PDB file of all heavy atoms in Angstrom:
ATOM      1  N   GLY A   1     122.749  -9.992  -7.793  1.00 97.00           N
ATOM      2  CA  GLY A   1     122.424  -9.713  -6.400  1.00 97.00           C
ATOM      3  C   GLY A   1     123.621  -9.782  -5.478  1.00 97.00           C
ATOM      4  O   GLY A   1     123.635  -9.156  -4.416  1.00 97.00           O
ATOM      5  N   ARG A   2     124.632 -10.524  -5.877  1.00 97.00           N
ATOM      6  CA  ARG A   2     125.852 -10.658  -5.077  1.00 97.00           C
ATOM      7  C   ARG A   2     126.951  -9.691  -5.527  1.00 97.00           C
ATOM      8  O   ARG A   2     128.040  -9.686  -4.942  1.00 97.00           O
ATOM      9  CB  ARG A   2     126.376 -12.093  -5.161  1.00 97.00           C
ATOM     10  CG  ARG A   2     125.425 -13.141  -4.600  1.00 97.00           C
ATOM     11  CD  ARG A   2     125.926 -14.548  -4.919  1.00 97.00           C
ATOM     12  NE  ARG A   2     124.974 -15.575  -4.544  1.00 97.00           N
ATOM     13  CZ  ARG A   2     125.008 -16.250  -3.392  1.00 97.00           C
ATOM     14  NH1 ARG A   2     125.956 -15.985  -2.508  1.00 97.00           N
ATOM     15  NH2 ARG A   2     124.110 -17.174  -3.136  1.00 97.00           N
ATOM     16  N   GLY A   3     126.697  -8.935  -6.585  1.00 96.00           N
ATOM     17  CA  GLY A   3     127.690  -7.984  -7.063  1.00 96.00           C
ATOM     18  C   GLY A   3     128.879  -8.619  -7.752  1.00 96.00           C
ATOM     19  O   GLY A   3     129.961  -8.011  -7.815  1.00 96.00           O
ATOM     20  N   ILE A   4     128.699  -9.810  -8.305  1.00 97.00           N
ATOM     21  CA  ILE A   4     129.791 -10.504  -8.991  1.00 97.00           C
ATOM     22  C   ILE A   4     129.651 -10.284 -10.489  1.00 97.00           C
ATOM     23  O   ILE A   4     128.601 -10.565 -11.074  1.00 97.00           O
ATOM     24  CB  ILE A   4     129.772 -12.014  -8.676  1.00 97.00           C
ATOM     25  CG1 ILE A   4     129.972 -12.224  -7.175  1.00 97.00           C
ATOM     26  CG2 ILE A   4     130.854 -12.747  -9.471  1.00 97.00           C
ATOM     27  CD1 ILE A   4     129.825 -13.662  -6.747  1.00 97.00           C
ATOM     28  N   GLU A   5     130.707  -9.786 -11.105  1.00 91.00           N
ATOM     29  CA  GLU A   5     130.665  -9.465 -12.523  1.00 91.00           C
ATOM     30  C   GLU A   5     131.554 -10.374 -13.364  1.00 91.00           C
ATOM     31  O   GLU A   5     131.302 -10.536 -14.557  1.00 91.00           O
ATOM     32  CB  GLU A   5     131.071  -8.003 -12.743  1.00 91.00           C
ATOM     33  CG  GLU A   5     130.111  -7.015 -12.088  1.00 91.00           C
ATOM     34  CD  GLU A   5     130.492  -5.578 -12.352  1.00 91.00           C
ATOM     35  OE1 GLU A   5     131.596  -5.358 -12.896  1.00 91.00           O
ATOM     36  OE2 GLU A   5     129.698  -4.683 -12.008  1.00 91.00           O
ATOM     37  N   ARG A   6     132.600 -10.940 -12.785  1.00 97.00           N
ATOM     38  CA  ARG A   6     133.489 -11.793 -13.577  1.00 97.00           C
ATOM     39  C   ARG A   6     133.024 -13.238 -13.482  1.00 97.00           C
ATOM     40  O   ARG A   6     132.843 -13.770 -12.378  1.00 97.00           O
ATOM     41  CB  ARG A   6     134.929 -11.675 -13.092  1.00 97.00           C
ATOM     42  CG  ARG A   6     135.913 -12.325 -14.060  1.00 97.00           C
ATOM     43  CD  ARG A   6     137.349 -12.128 -13.660  1.00 97.00           C
ATOM     44  NE  ARG A   6     138.225 -12.575 -14.730  1.00 97.00           N
ATOM     45  CZ  ARG A   6     139.522 -12.810 -14.576  1.00 97.00           C
ATOM     46  NH1 ARG A   6     140.094 -12.634 -13.386  1.00 97.00           N
ATOM     47  NH2 ARG A   6     140.253 -13.212 -15.588  1.00 97.00           N
ATOM     48  N   VAL A   7     132.840 -13.880 -14.639  1.00 98.00           N
ATOM     49  CA  VAL A   7     132.325 -15.242 -14.704  1.00 98.00           C
ATOM     50  C   VAL A   7     133.183 -16.042 -15.674  1.00 98.00           C
ATOM     51  O   VAL A   7     133.531 -15.557 -16.758  1.00 98.00           O
ATOM     52  CB  VAL A   7     130.851 -15.270 -15.173  1.00 98.00           C
ATOM     53  CG1 VAL A   7     130.312 -16.695 -15.143  1.00 98.00           C
ATOM     54  CG2 VAL A   7     129.988 -14.351 -14.314  1.00 98.00           C
ATOM     55  N   LEU A   8     133.496 -17.273 -15.302  1.00 99.00           N
ATOM     56  CA  LEU A   8     134.220 -18.213 -16.157  1.00 99.00           C
ATOM     57  C   LEU A   8     133.295 -19.378 -16.485  1.00 99.00           C
ATOM     58  O   LEU A   8     132.572 -19.863 -15.617  1.00 99.00           O
ATOM     59  CB  LEU A   8     135.479 -18.723 -15.454  1.00 99.00           C
ATOM     60  CG  LEU A   8     136.439 -17.652 -14.917  1.00 99.00           C
ATOM     61  CD1 LEU A   8     137.639 -18.314 -14.239  1.00 99.00           C
ATOM     62  CD2 LEU A   8     136.890 -16.711 -16.024  1.00 99.00           C
ATOM     63  N   ASP A   9     133.344 -19.862 -17.726  1.00 99.00           N
ATOM     64  CA  ASP A   9     132.414 -20.883 -18.216  1.00 99.00           C
ATOM     65  C   ASP A   9     133.203 -22.088 -18.722  1.00 99.00           C
ATOM     66  O   ASP A   9     134.065 -21.955 -19.590  1.00 99.00           O
ATOM     67  CB  ASP A   9     131.553 -20.285 -19.338  1.00 99.00           C
ATOM     68  CG  ASP A   9     130.388 -21.175 -19.741  1.00 99.00           C
ATOM     69  OD1 ASP A   9     130.444 -22.385 -19.482  1.00 99.00           O
ATOM     70  OD2 ASP A   9     129.432 -20.649 -20.332  1.00 99.00           O
ATOM     71  N   LEU A  10     132.854 -23.274 -18.206  1.00 99.00           N
ATOM     72  CA  LEU A  10     133.632 -24.486 -18.449  1.00 99.00           C
ATOM     73  C   LEU A  10     133.058 -25.401 -19.517  1.00 99.00           C
ATOM     74  O   LEU A  10     133.489 -26.546 -19.624  1.00 99.00           O
ATOM     75  CB  LEU A  10     133.792 -25.258 -17.131  1.00 99.00           C
ATOM     76  CG  LEU A  10     134.396 -24.468 -15.971  1.00 99.00           C
ATOM     77  CD1 LEU A  10     134.470 -25.332 -14.721  1.00 99.00           C
ATOM     78  CD2 LEU A  10     135.773 -23.917 -16.342  1.00 99.00           C
ATOM     79  N   GLY A  11     132.094 -24.936 -20.313  1.00 98.00           N
ATOM     80  CA  GLY A  11     131.684 -25.702 -21.479  1.00 98.00           C
ATOM     81  C   GLY A  11     130.458 -26.571 -21.298  1.00 98.00           C
ATOM     82  O   GLY A  11     129.814 -26.579 -20.253  1.00 98.00           O
ATOM     83  N   ASP A  12     130.149 -27.356 -22.344  1.00 98.00           N
ATOM     84  CA  ASP A  12     128.874 -28.074 -22.506  1.00 98.00           C
ATOM     85  C   ASP A  12     127.736 -27.063 -22.413  1.00 98.00           C
ATOM     86  O   ASP A  12     126.909 -27.078 -21.505  1.00 98.00           O
ATOM     87  CB  ASP A  12     128.714 -29.218 -21.516  1.00 98.00           C
ATOM     88  CG  ASP A  12     129.426 -30.483 -21.988  1.00 98.00           C
ATOM     89  OD1 ASP A  12     130.161 -30.429 -23.001  1.00 98.00           O
ATOM     90  OD2 ASP A  12     129.250 -31.533 -21.356  1.00 98.00           O
ATOM     91  N   LEU A  13     127.704 -26.214 -23.406  1.00 99.00           N
ATOM     92  CA  LEU A  13     126.892 -25.006 -23.378  1.00 99.00           C
ATOM     93  C   LEU A  13     125.469 -25.204 -23.866  1.00 99.00           C
ATOM     94  O   LEU A  13     124.531 -24.607 -23.319  1.00 99.00           O
ATOM     95  CB  LEU A  13     127.559 -23.931 -24.252  1.00 99.00           C
ATOM     96  CG  LEU A  13     129.038 -23.672 -23.974  1.00 99.00           C
ATOM     97  CD1 LEU A  13     129.616 -22.776 -25.057  1.00 99.00           C
ATOM     98  CD2 LEU A  13     129.220 -23.060 -22.600  1.00 99.00           C
ATOM     99  N   LEU A  14     125.280 -26.014 -24.914  1.00 98.00           N
ATOM    100  CA  LEU A  14     124.034 -25.942 -25.685  1.00 98.00           C
ATOM    101  C   LEU A  14     123.321 -27.264 -25.857  1.00 98.00           C
ATOM    102  O   LEU A  14     122.117 -27.287 -26.134  1.00 98.00           O
ATOM    103  CB  LEU A  14     124.331 -25.371 -27.082  1.00 98.00           C
ATOM    104  CG  LEU A  14     125.147 -24.088 -27.136  1.00 98.00           C
ATOM    105  CD1 LEU A  14     125.444 -23.722 -28.583  1.00 98.00           C
ATOM    106  CD2 LEU A  14     124.431 -22.952 -26.419  1.00 98.00           C
ATOM    107  N   SER A  15     124.009 -28.373 -25.752  1.00 98.00           N
ATOM    108  CA  SER A  15     123.453 -29.672 -26.108  1.00 98.00           C
ATOM    109  C   SER A  15     122.285 -30.040 -25.205  1.00 98.00           C
ATOM    110  O   SER A  15     122.404 -30.030 -23.981  1.00 98.00           O
ATOM    111  CB  SER A  15     124.544 -30.741 -26.006  1.00 98.00           C
ATOM    112  OG  SER A  15     124.036 -32.012 -26.343  1.00 98.00           O
ATOM    113  N   GLY A  16     121.139 -30.376 -25.812  1.00 98.00           N
ATOM    114  CA  GLY A  16     119.946 -30.737 -25.056  1.00 98.00           C
ATOM    115  C   GLY A  16     118.698 -30.280 -25.775  1.00 98.00           C
ATOM    116  O   GLY A  16     118.755 -29.515 -26.746  1.00 98.00           O
ATOM    117  N   PRO A  17     117.516 -30.697 -25.282  1.00 98.00           N
ATOM    118  CA  PRO A  17     116.249 -30.442 -25.973  1.00 98.00           C
ATOM    119  C   PRO A  17     115.568 -29.156 -25.552  1.00 98.00           C
ATOM    120  O   PRO A  17     114.330 -29.071 -25.537  1.00 98.00           O
ATOM    121  CB  PRO A  17     115.415 -31.655 -25.572  1.00 98.00           C
ATOM    122  CG  PRO A  17     115.846 -31.930 -24.161  1.00 98.00           C
ATOM    123  CD  PRO A  17     117.317 -31.629 -24.141  1.00 98.00           C
ATOM    124  N   LEU A  18     116.337 -28.114 -25.216  1.00 98.00           N
ATOM    125  CA  LEU A  18     115.735 -26.893 -24.680  1.00 98.00           C
ATOM    126  C   LEU A  18     115.934 -25.727 -25.653  1.00 98.00           C
ATOM    127  O   LEU A  18     115.279 -25.667 -26.669  1.00 98.00           O
ATOM    128  CB  LEU A  18     116.293 -26.611 -23.289  1.00 98.00           C
ATOM    129  CG  LEU A  18     116.031 -27.729 -22.258  1.00 98.00           C
ATOM    130  CD1 LEU A  18     116.688 -27.421 -20.929  1.00 98.00           C
ATOM    131  CD2 LEU A  18     114.540 -27.960 -22.087  1.00 98.00           C
ATOM    132  N   HIS A  19     116.843 -24.796 -25.360  1.00 98.00           N
ATOM    133  CA  HIS A  19     116.987 -23.574 -26.154  1.00 98.00           C
ATOM    134  C   HIS A  19     118.440 -23.379 -26.593  1.00 98.00           C
ATOM    135  O   HIS A  19     119.111 -22.429 -26.154  1.00 98.00           O
ATOM    136  CB  HIS A  19     116.538 -22.360 -25.349  1.00 98.00           C
ATOM    137  CG  HIS A  19     115.070 -22.292 -25.084  1.00 98.00           C
ATOM    138  ND1 HIS A  19     114.535 -22.447 -23.818  1.00 98.00           N
ATOM    139  CD2 HIS A  19     114.014 -22.107 -25.917  1.00 98.00           C
ATOM    140  CE1 HIS A  19     113.220 -22.348 -23.890  1.00 98.00           C
ATOM    141  NE2 HIS A  19     112.879 -22.136 -25.152  1.00 98.00           N
ATOM    142  N   PRO A  20     118.974 -24.224 -27.454  1.00 98.00           N
ATOM    143  CA  PRO A  20     120.386 -24.077 -27.833  1.00 98.00           C
ATOM    144  C   PRO A  20     120.694 -22.769 -28.536  1.00 98.00           C
ATOM    145  O   PRO A  20     121.704 -22.111 -28.226  1.00 98.00           O
ATOM    146  CB  PRO A  20     120.640 -25.283 -28.745  1.00 98.00           C
ATOM    147  CG  PRO A  20     119.297 -25.705 -29.234  1.00 98.00           C
ATOM    148  CD  PRO A  20     118.353 -25.388 -28.106  1.00 98.00           C
ATOM    149  N   ARG A  21     119.848 -22.362 -29.497  1.00 98.00           N
ATOM    150  CA  ARG A  21     120.139 -21.152 -30.269  1.00 98.00           C
ATOM    151  C   ARG A  21     120.063 -19.915 -29.388  1.00 98.00           C
ATOM    152  O   ARG A  21     120.956 -19.057 -29.415  1.00 98.00           O
ATOM    153  CB  ARG A  21     119.162 -21.023 -31.434  1.00 98.00           C
ATOM    154  CG  ARG A  21     119.434 -19.798 -32.304  1.00 98.00           C
ATOM    155  CD  ARG A  21     118.395 -19.653 -33.403  1.00 98.00           C
ATOM    156  NE  ARG A  21     118.448 -20.763 -34.344  1.00 98.00           N
ATOM    157  CZ  ARG A  21     117.615 -20.908 -35.362  1.00 98.00           C
ATOM    158  NH1 ARG A  21     116.643 -20.029 -35.550  1.00 98.00           N
ATOM    159  NH2 ARG A  21     117.732 -21.930 -36.185  1.00 98.00           N
ATOM    160  N   GLU A  22     119.025 -19.811 -28.588  1.00 98.00           N
ATOM    161  CA  GLU A  22     118.855 -18.639 -27.726  1.00 98.00           C
ATOM    162  C   GLU A  22     119.939 -18.575 -26.652  1.00 98.00           C
ATOM    163  O   GLU A  22     120.427 -17.486 -26.315  1.00 98.00           O
ATOM    164  CB  GLU A  22     117.469 -18.662 -27.083  1.00 98.00           C
ATOM    165  CG  GLU A  22     116.328 -18.572 -28.077  1.00 98.00           C
ATOM    166  CD  GLU A  22     115.927 -19.928 -28.675  1.00 98.00           C
ATOM    167  OE1 GLU A  22     116.635 -20.944 -28.443  1.00 98.00           O
ATOM    168  OE2 GLU A  22     114.897 -19.968 -29.372  1.00 98.00           O
ATOM    169  N   THR A  23     120.302 -19.739 -26.115  1.00 98.00           N
ATOM    170  CA  THR A  23     121.371 -19.770 -25.110  1.00 98.00           C
ATOM    171  C   THR A  23     122.694 -19.351 -25.723  1.00 98.00           C
ATOM    172  O   THR A  23     123.478 -18.613 -25.105  1.00 98.00           O
ATOM    173  CB  THR A  23     121.485 -21.178 -24.514  1.00 98.00           C
ATOM    174  OG1 THR A  23     120.225 -21.544 -23.932  1.00 98.00           O
ATOM    175  CG2 THR A  23     122.557 -21.227 -23.435  1.00 98.00           C
ATOM    176  N   CYS A  24     122.956 -19.791 -26.944  1.00 98.00           N
ATOM    177  CA  CYS A  24     124.186 -19.401 -27.628  1.00 98.00           C
ATOM    178  C   CYS A  24     124.252 -17.891 -27.808  1.00 98.00           C
ATOM    179  O   CYS A  24     125.285 -17.262 -27.516  1.00 98.00           O
ATOM    180  CB  CYS A  24     124.292 -20.121 -28.968  1.00 98.00           C
ATOM    181  SG  CYS A  24     125.915 -19.961 -29.751  1.00 98.00           S
ATOM    182  N   ASP A  25     123.183 -17.288 -28.265  1.00 98.00           N
ATOM    183  CA  ASP A  25     123.171 -15.829 -28.438  1.00 98.00           C
ATOM    184  C   ASP A  25     123.423 -15.115 -27.114  1.00 98.00           C
ATOM    185  O   ASP A  25     124.142 -14.105 -27.065  1.00 98.00           O
ATOM    186  CB  ASP A  25     121.825 -15.379 -29.016  1.00 98.00           C
ATOM    187  CG  ASP A  25     121.715 -15.621 -30.512  1.00 98.00           C
ATOM    188  OD1 ASP A  25     122.759 -15.771 -31.172  1.00 98.00           O
ATOM    189  OD2 ASP A  25     120.573 -15.672 -31.017  1.00 98.00           O
ATOM    190  N   ARG A  26     122.844 -15.635 -26.043  1.00 98.00           N
ATOM    191  CA  ARG A  26     123.038 -14.997 -24.730  1.00 98.00           C
ATOM    192  C   ARG A  26     124.490 -15.096 -24.293  1.00 98.00           C
ATOM    193  O   ARG A  26     125.061 -14.123 -23.769  1.00 98.00           O
ATOM    194  CB  ARG A  26     122.122 -15.675 -23.701  1.00 98.00           C
ATOM    195  CG  ARG A  26     122.084 -14.958 -22.357  1.00 98.00           C
ATOM    196  CD  ARG A  26     121.329 -13.657 -22.467  1.00 98.00           C
ATOM    197  NE  ARG A  26     121.027 -13.085 -21.169  1.00 98.00           N
ATOM    198  CZ  ARG A  26     121.623 -12.003 -20.675  1.00 98.00           C
ATOM    199  NH1 ARG A  26     122.576 -11.383 -21.372  1.00 98.00           N
ATOM    200  NH2 ARG A  26     121.282 -11.532 -19.490  1.00 98.00           N
ATOM    201  N   LEU A  27     125.105 -16.226 -24.505  1.00 98.00           N
ATOM    202  CA  LEU A  27     126.493 -16.404 -24.083  1.00 98.00           C
ATOM    203  C   LEU A  27     127.437 -15.547 -24.925  1.00 98.00           C
ATOM    204  O   LEU A  27     128.408 -14.983 -24.398  1.00 98.00           O
ATOM    205  CB  LEU A  27     126.884 -17.874 -24.172  1.00 98.00           C
ATOM    206  CG  LEU A  27     126.190 -18.787 -23.150  1.00 98.00           C
ATOM    207  CD1 LEU A  27     126.479 -20.246 -23.453  1.00 98.00           C
ATOM    208  CD2 LEU A  27     126.614 -18.433 -21.727  1.00 98.00           C
ATOM    209  N   ILE A  28     127.170 -15.433 -26.223  1.00 98.00           N
ATOM    210  CA  ILE A  28     127.981 -14.554 -27.062  1.00 98.00           C
ATOM    211  C   ILE A  28     127.879 -13.114 -26.556  1.00 98.00           C
ATOM    212  O   ILE A  28     128.879 -12.393 -26.457  1.00 98.00           O
ATOM    213  CB  ILE A  28     127.550 -14.673 -28.528  1.00 98.00           C
ATOM    214  CG1 ILE A  28     127.905 -16.059 -29.079  1.00 98.00           C
ATOM    215  CG2 ILE A  28     128.201 -13.577 -29.372  1.00 98.00           C
ATOM    216  CD1 ILE A  28     127.323 -16.345 -30.447  1.00 98.00           C
ATOM    217  N   GLU A  29     126.674 -12.703 -26.203  1.00 98.00           N
ATOM    218  CA  GLU A  29     126.453 -11.357 -25.680  1.00 98.00           C
ATOM    219  C   GLU A  29     127.214 -11.132 -24.375  1.00 98.00           C
ATOM    220  O   GLU A  29     127.797 -10.061 -24.152  1.00 98.00           O
ATOM    221  CB  GLU A  29     124.957 -11.140 -25.459  1.00 98.00           C
ATOM    222  CG  GLU A  29     124.590  -9.831 -24.801  1.00 98.00           C
ATOM    223  CD  GLU A  29     123.125  -9.776 -24.402  1.00 98.00           C
ATOM    224  OE1 GLU A  29     122.440 -10.823 -24.399  1.00 98.00           O
ATOM    225  OE2 GLU A  29     122.654  -8.674 -24.078  1.00 98.00           O
ATOM    226  N   LEU A  30     127.226 -12.126 -23.518  1.00 98.00           N
ATOM    227  CA  LEU A  30     127.872 -11.980 -22.213  1.00 98.00           C
ATOM    228  C   LEU A  30     129.391 -11.895 -22.336  1.00 98.00           C
ATOM    229  O   LEU A  30     130.049 -11.202 -21.554  1.00 98.00           O
ATOM    230  CB  LEU A  30     127.485 -13.154 -21.309  1.00 98.00           C
ATOM    231  CG  LEU A  30     126.031 -13.143 -20.831  1.00 98.00           C
ATOM    232  CD1 LEU A  30     125.637 -14.503 -20.268  1.00 98.00           C
ATOM    233  CD2 LEU A  30     125.821 -12.056 -19.777  1.00 98.00           C
ATOM    234  N   GLY A  31     129.976 -12.596 -23.296  1.00 98.00           N
ATOM    235  CA  GLY A  31     131.407 -12.474 -23.556  1.00 98.00           C
ATOM    236  C   GLY A  31     132.321 -13.028 -22.479  1.00 98.00           C
ATOM    237  O   GLY A  31     133.455 -12.575 -22.327  1.00 98.00           O
ATOM    238  N   TRP A  32     131.858 -14.014 -21.729  1.00 98.00           N
ATOM    239  CA  TRP A  32     132.693 -14.598 -20.679  1.00 98.00           C
ATOM    240  C   TRP A  32     133.870 -15.387 -21.257  1.00 98.00           C
ATOM    241  O   TRP A  32     133.750 -15.967 -22.353  1.00 98.00           O
ATOM    242  CB  TRP A  32     131.871 -15.587 -19.852  1.00 98.00           C
ATOM    243  CG  TRP A  32     130.735 -15.006 -19.095  1.00 98.00           C
ATOM    244  CD1 TRP A  32     130.593 -13.721 -18.656  1.00 98.00           C
ATOM    245  CD2 TRP A  32     129.568 -15.702 -18.662  1.00 98.00           C
ATOM    246  NE1 TRP A  32     129.421 -13.583 -17.967  1.00 98.00           N
ATOM    247  CE2 TRP A  32     128.763 -14.782 -17.957  1.00 98.00           C
ATOM    248  CE3 TRP A  32     129.134 -17.030 -18.793  1.00 98.00           C
ATOM    249  CZ2 TRP A  32     127.550 -15.142 -17.392  1.00 98.00           C
ATOM    250  CZ3 TRP A  32     127.920 -17.385 -18.234  1.00 98.00           C
ATOM    251  CH2 TRP A  32     127.131 -16.458 -17.537  1.00 98.00           C
ATOM    252  N   PRO A  33     134.994 -15.476 -20.542  1.00 98.00           N
ATOM    253  CA  PRO A  33     136.008 -16.464 -20.895  1.00 98.00           C
ATOM    254  C   PRO A  33     135.374 -17.866 -20.840  1.00 98.00           C
ATOM    255  O   PRO A  33     134.836 -18.271 -19.809  1.00 98.00           O
ATOM    256  CB  PRO A  33     137.074 -16.286 -19.817  1.00 98.00           C
ATOM    257  CG  PRO A  33     136.891 -14.870 -19.339  1.00 98.00           C
ATOM    258  CD  PRO A  33     135.411 -14.627 -19.405  1.00 98.00           C
ATOM    259  N   THR A  34     135.411 -18.570 -21.953  1.00 99.00           N
ATOM    260  CA  THR A  34     134.661 -19.816 -22.100  1.00 99.00           C
ATOM    261  C   THR A  34     135.511 -20.853 -22.812  1.00 99.00           C
ATOM    262  O   THR A  34     136.218 -20.530 -23.771  1.00 99.00           O
ATOM    263  CB  THR A  34     133.372 -19.568 -22.912  1.00 99.00           C
ATOM    264  OG1 THR A  34     132.561 -18.610 -22.233  1.00 99.00           O
ATOM    265  CG2 THR A  34     132.575 -20.852 -23.106  1.00 99.00           C
ATOM    266  N   ILE A  35     135.434 -22.102 -22.362  1.00 99.00           N
ATOM    267  CA  ILE A  35     136.097 -23.196 -23.055  1.00 99.00           C
ATOM    268  C   ILE A  35     135.047 -24.134 -23.644  1.00 99.00           C
ATOM    269  O   ILE A  35     133.881 -24.099 -23.263  1.00 99.00           O
ATOM    270  CB  ILE A  35     137.064 -23.975 -22.132  1.00 99.00           C
ATOM    271  CG1 ILE A  35     136.303 -24.607 -20.955  1.00 99.00           C
ATOM    272  CG2 ILE A  35     138.184 -23.056 -21.637  1.00 99.00           C
ATOM    273  CD1 ILE A  35     137.171 -25.525 -20.092  1.00 99.00           C
ATOM    274  N   ALA A  36     135.483 -24.965 -24.552  1.00 98.00           N
ATOM    275  CA  ALA A  36     134.605 -25.959 -25.167  1.00 98.00           C
ATOM    276  C   ALA A  36     134.592 -27.227 -24.328  1.00 98.00           C
ATOM    277  O   ALA A  36     135.634 -27.673 -23.833  1.00 98.00           O
ATOM    278  CB  ALA A  36     135.082 -26.282 -26.581  1.00 98.00           C
ATOM    279  N   GLY A  37     133.413 -27.821 -24.177  1.00 98.00           N
ATOM    280  CA  GLY A  37     133.293 -29.139 -23.580  1.00 98.00           C
ATOM    281  C   GLY A  37     133.211 -30.209 -24.658  1.00 98.00           C
ATOM    282  O   GLY A  37     133.259 -29.920 -25.861  1.00 98.00           O
TER     283      GLY A  37
END
């Protein structure tokens, strides 16, 4: 909605009792510059 396409991701991506596998697939698809937490 804001027209922003470039995104940077600072890690701690998946840990928790929710959707780690699905979130991982989404992030791989998005292809953002990402670091590990």
